[in-house]
Amino acid sequence: MPDSNANLVIPPLAGLCDFGAAQRPGMSVEECVSWHKRHHFVFRRLFELLTARITSEPLYELKTAFSHHAYLSAEHATALRTRVSEMREPPLGLDEVPHPGLELLCNEVQCAPDTQALLIGVYEVLVPELIASFDNYIATTNPLADAPSVRVARFALLELRDMSEFGRQAVRALCESRPAPPLDEWRRALSDCLLAAGGLSGRDLAPPLELRPHFSKTPFVFDPVPQRDARFHDSYNGGVNPEAFLYDERYSPRDKVLMLFYKRLREIDVPEMMASIIHQTAGKPWKYYRDMSRQLWDEARHAMLGEVGFVSQGIDWSSIPINFTWSLNLNTQLSARDRHAVLYFIEQGLMPRNGKRFEWEVATESGIPLARLIQDFDWADEVLHSQIGREWFVTEFPDLKSALSYGDRCWSMVLSQWQRYLDEQRTEHRNWWPELYRTACERWGVMPDPQTLAFDETYEEVRADLKAISGSA
C-alpha cells in the first residue's frame, strides 16, 4: 500500500518553493517581459563593449577575460531572448532601447578612456547592477508561475558573481600598480543614468534628471591594431615556422609538442581578429553574434591552454616571441567579410587528415598526457567552428568550393610584410627555436638532438598552411 503520509515529508511543488511563496502576487507577464528586456539590453551591450576592447587591450589576462565575459553575456542575452519569445508573440522588440538612461549608461562605459575606467564601469557598475536586479527579480516574481524565468535568472547570477569576483581582483590589481583616475564625477553620472531609468528594473521611482554625456561626448572608435603587454616582445618576429616543423617526419612527437604549445598560445591573435569582424559586421541575426562570440572565446581558451602547456613543462612562455602579425595584417588590410573568408578557409584546412587529427596524434605519441588532452579539445572545438562557418559564411556563396576559393584568394591578398618589418628594424626574425628546445631538453634531462636543434625555417616565403606567399612587401 502507498504510504499515505508520504506527502508530509516530500517537498511540495516540485521543490520550487513553499505554498506561501507560491501565493505571492508576483508580476504580470507584461511586467516580467519588460524587466527581461532591460536585462537583455545590458547583457547585449556588455557583449558588444567587451568584444570591442579585446583587440586593443594590452594585458593578456584582460584580453582573455573580456573574451570569456563577452561570450557569457551573449549566452545570457540569448537565454533572455528565448524566454521573452515564450511569453510574447512577435515582434518582440528586443532590439529597441528600453530607456535612454540605460543607453547612455552603456555608452559611457563603452567610451571609457582607459582600462581602469572600463573595468570600473563594467565590474563596479554594470555587473553589480545586474546581480542586484536579478536577485530582486527572483524575490519579486511568483516562483511557480514564472519558474522558467527564475531558472534563467539563477544561471545568470551564477556567472555574474564569477565575473564580479574577477573584476574585483582586477580593479584592485590595477589600482595598486598605477594611480587611479579621478572618476567621481563620472560615477555620479552613471548613477544618474540608473536613477533616471527607474533602476535596471524600471520599477523604481524615477526623479526628473537632466542626463548629459561625459566620456561618450566623443564617440567610441574601434582600434583594429592589436596591443600586447610587455611579456609579448618581438611580436613581429616571423623567424620560426612551426607548421614546417610539425609536418617534418624527421622530428619526434615529444619535440613537436613544444611547437603545438606555441601554436595554441599564438592563437590569442584569433580573438584579436575575430573581435574586429564582430564589431564591424552589422545587421546580422542575433544567433550570428552569439555563435561568433563562442568561437572567439574558444580561441582565447586555446591560447590559455598553450600557456598552461608551457607552464607544465617549466618553461617561461614570455621568453618566446609570440607573433601577432596575422591579426595585425588581416585587421588592417582586409574588410570584415574578407577576414571571415580567411578564417573559414583556415578552419576548413584544419579538418583533413593532416590538420587537427594529425596534431592530436602527435600529442598522443609524445607521451605527454596534457598535450593529448589539449589537442583533443582543440580538435573538438574546431569541428564546431567549421559548422559555424558553414552557417554564417558559406551560405553567401553558391557552394562550398566557391567559398573556400574566395577565402584562399583573400588570404593570398594579405601582404606578410616580412621583409618590411626587417627593413624597418621592428624585428630581426631571430630563430628562437634552439633556445626553447635547449631549455626543454634541460627540463626533460635529455641531450638535444643536433638535427632538431638545427631547425631554421621561417615565414619569409610561405604561409601557415605552407603555401607560397605571393608578396611580402
Side-chain angles (χ1 to χ4, degrees):
M1 291 285 294
D3 185 353
S4 60
N5 293 322
N7 65 323
L8 299 179
V9 295
I10 297 175
L13 306 178
L16 292 172
C17 59
D18 58 28
F19 281 98
Q23 297 174 67
R24 183 190 304 161
M27 299 180 286
S28 68
V29 169
E30 186 63 36
E31 290 174 308
C32 290
V33 167
S34 176
W35 204 336
H36 285 327
K37 287 182 178 180
R38 286 170 166 246
H39 287 158
H40 166 267
F41 177 80
V42 176
F43 266 132
R44 179 161 185 165
R45 290 301 305 272
L46 266 175
F47 154 71
E48 293 171 348
L49 67 88
L50 288 172
T51 299
R53 293 296 188 114
I54 291 168
T55 308
S56 60
E57 174 51 53
L59 283 172
Y60 172 69
E61 286 77 13
L62 292 181
K63 196 183 290 281
T64 52
F66 290 173
S67 301
H68 185 207
H69 295 168
Y71 164 65
L72 295 182
S73 298
E75 286 286 11
H76 292 302
T78 300
L80 287 162
R81 294 175 78 90
T82 299
R83 181 59 181 145
V84 169
S85 73
E86 295 167 351
M87 302 174 83
R88 277 290 175 260
E89 294 287 337
L92 303 177
L94 287 164
D95 295 325
E96 298 172 3
V97 176
H99 191 279
L102 294 183
E103 182 176 39
L104 181 58
L105 170 70
C106 294
N107 288 347
E108 284 293 312
V109 177
Q110 182 175 39
C111 293
D114 54 41
T115 298
Q116 281 177 282
L118 177 69
L119 293 186
I120 288 169
V122 170
Y123 298 110
E124 293 191 355
V125 179
L126 294 183
V127 169
E129 286 294 332
L130 279 168
I131 291 173
S133 186
F134 273 115
D135 277 335
N136 191 15
Y137 185 95
I138 291 173
T140 304
T141 197
N142 184 292
L144 181 59
D146 195 22
S149 294
V150 172
R151 180 175 181 270
V152 169
R154 291 178 67 192
F155 274 112
L157 282 168
L158 177 70
E159 293 183 328
L160 281 167
R161 290 192 170 109
D162 289 343
M163 291 167 65
S164 178
E165 176 58 21
F166 172 88
R168 183 187 67 80
Q169 296 185 44
V171 170
R172 183 178 64 186
L174 278 188
C175 289
E176 289 176 353
S177 65
R178 62 187 73 168
L183 296 174
D184 290 346
E185 182 181 348
W186 186 55
R187 284 175 177 269
R188 287 193 293 271
L190 298 184
S191 179
D192 284 348
C193 289
L194 285 162
L195 286 171
L200 194 49
S201 68
R203 296 165 61 86
D204 300 341
L205 181 65
L209 293 171
E210 183 180 356
L211 301 180
R212 295 180 179 179
H214 191 80
F215 292 139
S216 62
K217 289 178 183 177
T218 303
F220 175 77
V221 177
F222 177 77
D223 183 358
V225 177
Q227 301 295 327
R228 304 280 179 89
D229 64 48
R231 291 168 293 179
F232 293 82
H233 57 91
D234 198 11
S235 296
Y236 293 90
N237 189 321
V240 176
N241 187 322
E243 289 79 18
F245 185 89
L246 277 174
Y247 297 128
D248 194 321
E249 296 180 354
R250 295 176 297 170
Y251 306 125
S252 75
R254 182 201 61 192
D255 298 340
K256 288 180 178 181
V257 160
L258 297 172
M259 288 299 196
L260 287 176
F261 289 160
Y262 172 82
K263 279 169 59 68
R264 297 292 75 79
L265 179 53
R266 188 183 61 182
E267 281 187 69
I268 194 61
D269 63 359
V270 184
E272 291 170 337
M273 191 278 286
M274 287 196 67
S276 73
I277 297 176
I278 294 170
H279 180 77
Q280 295 173 344
T281 302
K284 294 284 189 178
W286 169 250
K287 188 174 184 296
Y288 167 89
Y289 300 102
R290 181 268 169 201
D291 289 351
M292 292 289 281
S293 183
R294 166 59 192 271
Q295 182 172 348
L296 185 155
W297 159 232
D298 287 349
E299 304 294 2
R301 188 161 46 85
H302 297 168
M304 291 186 286
L305 286 169
E307 176 188 13
V308 171
F310 280 125
V311 170
S312 74
Q313 302 302 306
I315 295 172
D316 178 9
W317 63 265
S318 68
S319 65
I320 309 164
I322 308 298
N323 183 278
F324 79 152
T325 59
W326 185 80
S327 55
L328 172 67
N329 291 337
L330 264 66
N331 282 7
T332 56
Q333 295 181 35
L334 296 181
S335 67
R337 181 173 184 268
D338 289 356
R339 275 173 250 143
H340 199 172
V342 173
L343 178 68
Y344 181 70
F345 177 78
I346 292 174
E347 298 289 353
Q348 282 299 108
L350 299 176
M351 291 301 101
R353 177 70 175 78
N354 63 344
K356 287 302 175 182
R357 181 183 181 88
F358 172 77
E359 293 185 349
W360 174 80
E361 290 172 347
V362 167
T364 300
E365 294 167 9
S366 74
I368 301 176
L370 180 62
R372 185 181 190 274
L373 177 76
I374 290 172
Q375 291 308 136
D376 202 10
F377 280 86
D378 181 64
W379 183 9
D381 289 338
E382 298 303 347
V383 172
L384 171 63
H385 301 169
S386 181
Q387 295 169 0
I388 292 172
R390 284 198 294 273
E391 179 172 1
W392 297 114
F393 178 72
V394 176
T395 49
E396 298 181 6
F397 294 84
D399 50 46
L400 175 61
K401 183 178 179 180
S402 300
L404 288 173
S405 178
Y406 185 79
D408 191 8
R409 290 198 306 273
C410 289
W411 198 5
S412 296
M413 289 190 298
V414 178
L415 299 177
S416 76
Q417 313 278 24
W418 198 94
Q419 186 61 46
R420 176 187 165 193
Y421 298 146
L422 182 64
D423 293 341
E424 294 178 350
Q425 299 183 342
R426 299 191 187 193
T427 182
E428 296 178 353
H429 293 304
R430 175 177 65 87
N431 182 2
W432 45 262
W433 166 252
E435 179 183 346
L436 170 61
Y437 181 52
R438 285 194 189 96
T439 300
C441 288
E442 182 179 343
R443 298 287 185 183
W444 295 334
V446 300
M447 291 295 293
D449 172 66
Q451 186 179 49
T452 304
L453 194 64
F455 176 74
D456 190 22
E457 294 191 41
T458 76
Y459 278 124
E460 181 177 9
E461 296 179 350
V462 295
R463 308 187 309 203
D465 61 354
L466 304 186
K467 285 189 176 183
I469 293 175
S470 58
S472 60

